């Protein structure tokens, strides 16, 4: 049995909150450089350069890449042979989020009540998704999610007769309707199957895959390629000013579902697609 100290969880989560908001991941940096090579229009290419330069300055100066430092969405993979010592797992994560957003001078965006709108002051509570696994590993991924991209999420319960084409059309239409609002170039997470709640969660989890890493299943990979080509053809482009680069990547997940249902969901990440993982 592995023992993990709650104080260490809080400390590591705090650091991950700061790093995720201030340092773009290597896969995102690669996506920028590849997009700059591909972009054929001058104005969108200049915008891409500005976005990339902004990310580089943020890393050098330890400043947030974006002023919206998001809801702290936390994905936890907890091995059955792990014991948390000195506190509760959820409380340790919440403490880490509060500490990270305070110490990193990150914007606190969470309100206590959806109608009264009083700010909690420390960006808690985080949104925590827990998955129990075999073994003695603990993996925590901090994925700050900005309001602009999250607001462009969509979920629908399509009739099964809509089929694969109905799913593809729904994904493309979601990006078209979003336009410049999610701050493109976006990363598109999409899911077909599951049920009402798991479909949305799987779409969000799809965003954690390294940007542009193709799906292992050839059929899903083909869907991703079709979707990326169709979305690129929308001519929304970086920050909505047109161009070839509306999306860096499309990541698709499929899940079993009820024979009478076809749930479909899309979750978008903005151009600073943020996440950091800590492993014990």
């Amino acid at each position: 049995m592995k023992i993990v100290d709650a104080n260490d969880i809080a400390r590591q989560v705090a650091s991950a909150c700061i790093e995720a908001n201030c340092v773009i991941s290597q896969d995102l940096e690669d996506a920028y450089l590849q997009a700059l090579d591909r972009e054929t229009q001058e104005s969108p290419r200049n915008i891409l350069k500005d976005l990339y330069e902004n990310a580089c300055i943020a890393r050098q100066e330890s400043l947030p890449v974006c002023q919206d430092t998001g809801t702290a969405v936390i994905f936890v993979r907890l091995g059955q042979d792990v014991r948390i010592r000195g506190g509760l797992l959820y409380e340790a994560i919440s403490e880490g989020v509060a500490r990270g957003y305070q110490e990193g001078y990150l914007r606190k965006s969470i309100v206590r009540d959806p109608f009264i709108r009083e700010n909690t002051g420390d960006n808690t509570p985080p949104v925590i998704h827990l998955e129990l696994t075999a073994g003695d590993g603990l993996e925590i991924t901090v994925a700050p999610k900005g309001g602009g991209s999250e607001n462009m999420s969509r979920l629908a319960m399509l009739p099964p007769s809509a089929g694969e084409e109905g799913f593809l059309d729904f994904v493309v239409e979601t990006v078209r309707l979003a336009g410049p609002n999610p701050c493109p170039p976006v990363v598109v997470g999409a899911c077909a199957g599951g049920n009402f709640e798991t479909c949305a969660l799987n779409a969000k989890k799809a965003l954690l895959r390294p940007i542009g890493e193709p799906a292992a299943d050839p059929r899903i990979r083909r869907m991703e390629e079709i979707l990326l080509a169709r979305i690129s053809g929308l001519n929304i482009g970086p920050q909505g000013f047109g161009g070839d680069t509306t999306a860096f990547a499309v990541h698709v997940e499929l899940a079993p579902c009820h024979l009478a249902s076809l749930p479909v969901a899309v979750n978008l990440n903005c151009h600073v697609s943020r996440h950091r993982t800590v492993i014990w």
Side-chain angles (χ1 to χ4, degrees), residues 216-248:
D217 186 312
R219 179 165 151 258
I220 298 176
R221 190 183 314 141
R222 180 183 61 82
M223 284 189 238
E224 293 175 343
E225 291 169 353
I226 291 171
L227 285 168
L228 185 58
R230 289 180 60 181
I231 288 169
S232 298
L234 293 174
N235 195 38
I236 295 170
Q239 301 299 289
F241 287 95
D244 306 314
T245 317
T246 296
F248 285 131

Side-chain angles (χ1 to χ4, degrees), residues 120-131:
T120 63
D122 59 8
N123 220 59
T124 67
V127 177
I128 302 174
H129 301 292
L130 175 64
E131 178 184 352

Side-chain angles (χ1 to χ4, degrees), residues 82-124:
V82 174
R83 183 169 74 84
I84 310 301
R85 179 178 59 194
L88 299 176
L89 175 61
Y90 277 32
E91 290 182 358
I93 291 172
S94 293
E95 180 185 339
V97 169
R99 189 186 303 174
Y101 275 76
Q102 297 281 12
E103 295 175 356
Y105 300 99
L106 307 176
R107 194 183 84 182
K108 291 82 176 174
S109 302
I110 303 303
V111 295
R112 200 176 309 280
D113 182 285
F115 302 116
I116 298 174
R117 315 298 283 184
E118 176 193 3
N119 199 295
T120 63
D122 59 8
N123 220 59
T124 67

Side-chain angles (χ1 to χ4, degrees), residues 167-209:
F167 167 62
L168 298 179
D169 289 345
F170 179 81
V171 176
V172 176
E173 181 68 359
T174 297
V175 178
R176 187 191 70 79
L177 290 172
N181 294 317
C183 293
V186 295
V187 179
V188 182
C191 178
N195 66 356
F196 179 81
E197 70 270 20
T198 61
C199 188
L201 179 57
N202 284 333
K204 180 161 286 186
K205 287 172 70 175
L207 296 172
L208 300 180
R209 193 199 307 171

